[in-house]
Amino acid sequence: MSATAHHWYFNKRPKDVIEADTLVLREDPLPALRDGEILVRTLYISLDATNRVWMSDWDTYMDPLPTGSRMLGFVLGEVAESRNPAFPQGSLVTGLGTWSDYFVTDGVGYAPFPKPEGVPLADAFGILAVAGPTAYVGLLEIGKPKPGDTVVVTAAAGAVGALVGQIAKLHGCRVIGIAGSLEKCNWLTGELGFDAAIDYRKENVLDALKREAPNGIDVHFENVGGEQLDAGLTLMNEGGRVVICGLISTYNSSEPVPGPYMFRNVIMKRLTIQGFVILDYAEHFAEYHAKLIEWMRSGKLKYRLHIVDGLENARDALSLLYTGGNNGKLMVRIGKERA
């Protein structure tokens, strides 16, 4: 085993888009393990839209990432060496870790990751780590859809949005997805079972939603913000629920973001608007995982993984999230899985 490890460091706070010098890759010596510590060999890193938020100096749900520190992300790794009985050598662990090929931790904030039978490891991590619980909580516990409700999902071909729409269909809803290409829209309706899909690059979202949701919207699941959120607010039914999962269209903005302009409908339509952070629900993940795995095994949840190979490509891969360049759940594969 190498005596060194490679890590991405947060070098400079970006003004808008992630640039070549926002993150830098360095090689450091690996420290000797102390009692209670483990050495983790990283297998996969999950790339998520919120990674860009952590690089900002905004007042958020967690402290901003200090410049000069290692970049953070949700990771799946194998315990290469252990001096902690809770994490035996060879076991799998997951948690909020660093963008590294190897790293040392005392295990705080990490959990064992039992590989589900009948589900490939990459699929299990890609869906269960962040995207699946986010979709489950946001839709079912906050959106509270009822059979017959109309549910609109923005960034519907993304990792979270695709699952939200399918779970809504499992609960008897009419589902309309908004995505950024004809190919993505065809995937939503042709393979995932969405009732309709709108290509926001080709047509006016508000006009298209009026056509596809003639009876209004009951649950609006927001991943994008901006004009798409305004369009949803405009057509909400009385007592509707607006779930704010992400606002990815605003994360690279260095200027104040206007709107939403139809905020008056919060009063006029007696709307409930709630944002959430999936980390707040971590103690219930086992419950969510059990249901998600059941749906995955039975084929009721379909998904796509977009896996980029090599730690050295992580920075460029992250940028795909903010251009719509990814085609499914975005992950970086660092190390080989054991047979």
Side-chain angles (χ1 to χ4, degrees):
M1 185 180 301
S2 173
T4 62
H6 300 85
H7 314 275
W8 279 101
Y9 281 86
F10 179 39
N11 184 55
K12 188 179 78 172
R13 213 169 290 285
K15 292 182 179 178
D16 36 58
V17 297
I18 297 168
E19 298 174 314
D21 60 350
T22 299
L23 298 164
V24 295
L25 187 61
R26 296 180 187 151
E27 186 175 7
D28 296 334
L30 274 172
L33 287 190
R34 296 178 294 189
D35 286 343
E37 291 185 333
I38 57 175
L39 173 64
V40 177
R41 180 177 71 91
T42 308
L43 301 178
Y44 293 99
I45 299 174
S46 172
L47 300 185
D48 301 287
T50 192
N51 294 159
R52 175 62 181 82
V53 176
W54 300 343
M55 299 180 194
S56 72
D57 56 2
W58 303 348
D59 181 14
T60 70
Y61 56 87
M62 58 187 279
D63 291 336
L65 197 61
T67 54
S69 61
R70 292 175 185 171
M71 183 59 193
L72 295 177
F74 291 95
V75 304
L76 175 68
E78 179 187 75
V79 178
E81 294 182 20
S82 177
R83 296 186 66 177
N84 185 328
F87 300 96
Q89 184 174 343
S91 63
L92 297 175
V93 295
T94 188
L96 185 59
T98 59
W99 284 19
S100 311
D101 52 5
Y102 288 87
F103 62 93
V104 172
T105 174
D106 61 6
V108 174
Y110 290 82
F113 189 85
K115 182 178 179 295
E117 289 294 327
V119 179
L121 185 59
D123 299 47
F125 175 65
I127 301 306
L128 301 180
V130 180
T134 300
Y136 190 101
V137 168
L139 180 68
L140 298 183
E141 299 196 10
I142 299 175
K144 295 182 170 60
K146 303 182 296 295
D149 277 357
T150 294
V151 176
V152 169
V153 187
T154 66
V160 173
L163 298 175
V164 169
Q166 292 177 86
I167 295 170
K169 288 299 297 179
L170 289 173
H171 286 78
C173 300
R174 172 175 171 78
V175 180
I176 303 163
I178 303 174
S181 73
L182 178 61
E183 186 277 332
K184 290 179 178 179
C185 288
N186 287 341
W187 181 61
L188 294 175
T189 56
E191 291 194 40
L192 302 193
F194 282 54
D195 296 284
I198 296 165
D199 182 350
Y200 71 85
R201 298 183 193 272
K202 295 294 185 182
E203 59 180 330
N204 179 276
V205 172
L206 179 57
D207 291 342
L209 279 177
K210 288 178 179 177
R211 178 188 72 234
E212 301 296 349
N215 298 317
I217 300 167
D218 301 294
V219 180
H220 182 92
F221 195 104
E222 187 57 65
N223 292 302
V224 176
E227 293 180 359
Q228 297 185 35
L229 174 57
D230 257 314
L233 288 173
T234 302
L235 300 178
M236 293 300 296
N237 287 328
E238 189 167 309
R241 287 81 66 201
V242 181
V243 183
I244 307 296
C245 176
L247 300 169
I248 196 169
S249 70
T250 71
Y251 291 164
N252 284 331
S253 177
S254 56
E255 301 295 330
V257 178
Y261 297 102
M262 284 301 295
F263 202 65
R264 66 175 180 267
N265 268 357
V266 178
I267 301 172
M268 305 306 171
K269 297 298 178 70
R270 292 82 160 172
L271 303 181
T272 299
I273 299 181
Q274 183 174 336
F276 73 105
V277 174
I278 194 57
L279 292 173
D280 295 340
Y281 297 80
E283 64 187 88
H284 302 293
F285 272 25
E287 169 193 339
Y288 310 144
H289 287 172
K291 195 64 182 178
L292 291 162
I293 291 168
E294 176 188 328
W295 288 332
M296 291 169 73
R297 283 192 184 126
S298 64
K300 292 180 179 178
L301 281 186
K302 299 178 181 179
Y303 47 86
R304 297 194 289 203
L305 302 181
H306 186 139
I307 300 178
V308 175
D309 279 300
L311 179 64
E312 68 277 9
N313 296 314
R315 178 191 58 205
D316 293 340
L318 181 62
S319 297
L320 295 174
L321 284 173
Y322 311 103
T323 62
N326 61 303
N327 193 13
K329 169 60 194 168
L330 189 58
M331 302 158 60
V332 179
R333 180 161 40 214
I334 310 300
K336 291 183 178 180
E337 301 174 26
R338 293 194 188 277

